[in-house]
Short mmCIF file of all heavy atoms in Angstrom, two decimals:
data_model
loop_
_atom_site.label_atom_id
_atom_site.label_comp_id
_atom_site.label_asym_id
_atom_site.label_seq_id
_atom_site.Cartn_x
_atom_site.Cartn_y
_atom_site.Cartn_z
N LEU A 9 -16.55 2.67 -28.30
CA LEU A 9 -17.88 2.70 -27.68
C LEU A 9 -18.81 2.35 -28.78
O LEU A 9 -18.94 3.03 -29.78
CB LEU A 9 -18.16 4.13 -27.10
CG LEU A 9 -19.56 4.28 -26.55
CD1 LEU A 9 -19.75 3.31 -25.40
CD2 LEU A 9 -19.74 5.71 -26.07
N GLY A 50 4.25 5.17 -6.82
CA GLY A 50 5.25 5.95 -6.08
C GLY A 50 4.75 7.22 -5.42
O GLY A 50 5.54 7.89 -4.75
N ILE A 52 3.27 9.61 -2.71
CA ILE A 52 3.51 9.53 -1.31
C ILE A 52 2.26 10.10 -0.52
O ILE A 52 1.67 11.14 -0.91
CB ILE A 52 4.72 10.46 -0.91
CG1 ILE A 52 5.98 9.94 -1.58
CG2 ILE A 52 4.89 10.54 0.66
CD1 ILE A 52 6.36 10.67 -2.79
N PHE A 88 -2.27 0.00 1.93
CA PHE A 88 -3.16 -0.17 0.78
C PHE A 88 -3.46 -1.62 0.58
O PHE A 88 -2.64 -2.51 0.78
CB PHE A 88 -2.37 0.30 -0.53
CG PHE A 88 -2.24 1.76 -0.65
CD1 PHE A 88 -1.02 2.40 -0.26
CD2 PHE A 88 -3.26 2.55 -1.10
CE1 PHE A 88 -0.89 3.76 -0.44
CE2 PHE A 88 -3.11 3.93 -1.23
CZ PHE A 88 -1.89 4.52 -0.88
N GLU A 100 -4.69 9.73 18.04
CA GLU A 100 -5.44 10.22 19.19
C GLU A 100 -6.91 9.98 19.16
O GLU A 100 -7.57 9.82 20.24
CB GLU A 100 -5.18 11.75 19.41
CG GLU A 100 -3.78 12.11 19.87
CD GLU A 100 -2.77 12.10 18.71
OE1 GLU A 100 -3.22 11.98 17.58
OE2 GLU A 100 -1.58 12.24 19.00
N ASP A 136 -6.40 -9.88 4.83
CA ASP A 136 -6.71 -9.51 6.20
C ASP A 136 -5.74 -8.44 6.69
O ASP A 136 -4.65 -8.34 6.20
CB ASP A 136 -6.68 -10.71 7.15
CG ASP A 136 -7.80 -11.68 6.78
OD1 ASP A 136 -8.88 -11.29 6.40
OD2 ASP A 136 -7.58 -12.92 6.93
N ALA A 142 0.05 1.40 20.05
CA ALA A 142 1.20 1.91 20.86
C ALA A 142 0.91 1.77 22.39
O ALA A 142 1.86 1.68 23.14
CB ALA A 142 1.43 3.38 20.50
N ASP A 143 -0.33 1.85 22.78
CA ASP A 143 -0.60 1.92 24.20
C ASP A 143 -1.77 1.00 24.59
O ASP A 143 -2.19 0.15 23.76
CB ASP A 143 -0.92 3.41 24.59
CG ASP A 143 0.29 4.30 24.41
OD1 ASP A 143 1.30 4.00 25.03
OD2 ASP A 143 0.16 5.28 23.64
N PHE A 151 -8.02 -8.03 11.56
CA PHE A 151 -9.37 -7.82 11.09
C PHE A 151 -9.50 -8.36 9.65
O PHE A 151 -8.51 -8.43 8.89
CB PHE A 151 -9.67 -6.31 11.08
CG PHE A 151 -9.56 -5.63 12.41
CD1 PHE A 151 -8.40 -5.05 12.80
CD2 PHE A 151 -10.64 -5.60 13.28
CE1 PHE A 151 -8.28 -4.38 14.03
CE2 PHE A 151 -10.55 -4.97 14.50
CZ PHE A 151 -9.38 -4.40 14.90
N ASP A 171 3.88 -0.65 18.31
CA ASP A 171 3.73 0.57 17.53
C ASP A 171 3.67 0.24 16.01
O ASP A 171 2.72 0.54 15.37
CB ASP A 171 4.82 1.49 17.74
CG ASP A 171 4.79 2.28 19.06
OD1 ASP A 171 4.24 1.70 20.00
OD2 ASP A 171 5.32 3.36 19.15
N GLU A 187 9.33 1.58 20.23
CA GLU A 187 9.94 2.81 20.74
C GLU A 187 11.11 2.56 21.67
O GLU A 187 11.45 3.46 22.49
CB GLU A 187 8.92 3.70 21.33
CG GLU A 187 7.82 4.11 20.38
CD GLU A 187 6.94 5.29 20.84
OE1 GLU A 187 7.36 6.00 21.79
OE2 GLU A 187 5.89 5.50 20.25
N VAL A 233 18.64 5.94 10.48
CA VAL A 233 17.90 4.84 9.90
C VAL A 233 18.88 3.64 9.78
O VAL A 233 20.02 3.85 9.27
CB VAL A 233 17.30 5.17 8.51
CG1 VAL A 233 16.69 3.92 7.82
CG2 VAL A 233 16.16 6.23 8.63
N PRO A 253 17.76 19.03 4.74
CA PRO A 253 18.31 19.50 6.04
C PRO A 253 18.40 18.31 7.06
O PRO A 253 17.56 17.37 6.97
CB PRO A 253 17.37 20.54 6.47
CG PRO A 253 16.08 20.18 5.84
CD PRO A 253 16.40 19.58 4.51
N ASN A 262 8.95 4.19 4.81
CA ASN A 262 8.33 3.21 3.89
C ASN A 262 9.23 3.02 2.67
O ASN A 262 10.11 3.87 2.38
CB ASN A 262 6.92 3.64 3.47
CG ASN A 262 6.01 2.43 3.46
OD1 ASN A 262 6.35 1.40 2.88
ND2 ASN A 262 4.84 2.55 3.96
N ALA A 288 21.35 1.57 -1.36
CA ALA A 288 22.77 1.09 -1.58
C ALA A 288 23.82 2.07 -1.24
O ALA A 288 24.83 1.77 -0.57
CB ALA A 288 22.90 0.58 -3.00
N ALA A 308 2.74 6.47 3.55
CA ALA A 308 2.46 5.29 2.74
C ALA A 308 2.83 5.67 1.30
O ALA A 308 2.72 6.82 0.92
CB ALA A 308 0.97 4.91 2.85
N PHE A 310 2.08 4.58 -2.71
CA PHE A 310 1.22 3.81 -3.60
C PHE A 310 2.06 2.72 -4.33
O PHE A 310 3.03 3.08 -4.98
CB PHE A 310 0.43 4.66 -4.57
CG PHE A 310 -0.60 3.90 -5.31
CD1 PHE A 310 -1.62 3.30 -4.62
CD2 PHE A 310 -0.65 3.88 -6.70
CE1 PHE A 310 -2.66 2.56 -5.31
CE2 PHE A 310 -1.62 3.19 -7.33
CZ PHE A 310 -2.64 2.54 -6.66
N VAL A 317 2.72 -9.66 0.66
CA VAL A 317 1.89 -9.76 -0.58
C VAL A 317 2.82 -9.91 -1.77
O VAL A 317 3.85 -9.27 -1.83
CB VAL A 317 1.04 -8.50 -0.71
CG1 VAL A 317 0.17 -8.60 -1.97
CG2 VAL A 317 0.12 -8.40 0.52
N ALA A 335 -0.82 -13.86 -21.46
CA ALA A 335 -2.14 -14.03 -22.05
C ALA A 335 -3.01 -14.89 -21.15
O ALA A 335 -2.73 -16.05 -20.82
CB ALA A 335 -1.99 -14.77 -23.38
N ALA A 373 -16.53 0.91 -19.95
CA ALA A 373 -15.86 0.41 -18.69
C ALA A 373 -14.55 -0.21 -19.12
O ALA A 373 -14.29 -0.46 -20.28
CB ALA A 373 -16.70 -0.62 -18.00
N SER A 389 -19.07 4.61 -15.33
CA SER A 389 -20.22 5.47 -15.24
C SER A 389 -21.08 5.13 -13.98
O SER A 389 -21.99 5.83 -13.67
CB SER A 389 -21.11 5.32 -16.49
OG SER A 389 -21.62 4.04 -16.57
#
Side-chain angles (χ1 to χ4, degrees):
L9 177 60
I52 299 98
F88 288 99
E100 287 81 8
D136 295 325
D143 295 302
F151 301 92
D171 284 29
E187 301 195 14
V233 171
N262 220 315
F310 189 57
V317 178
S389 66

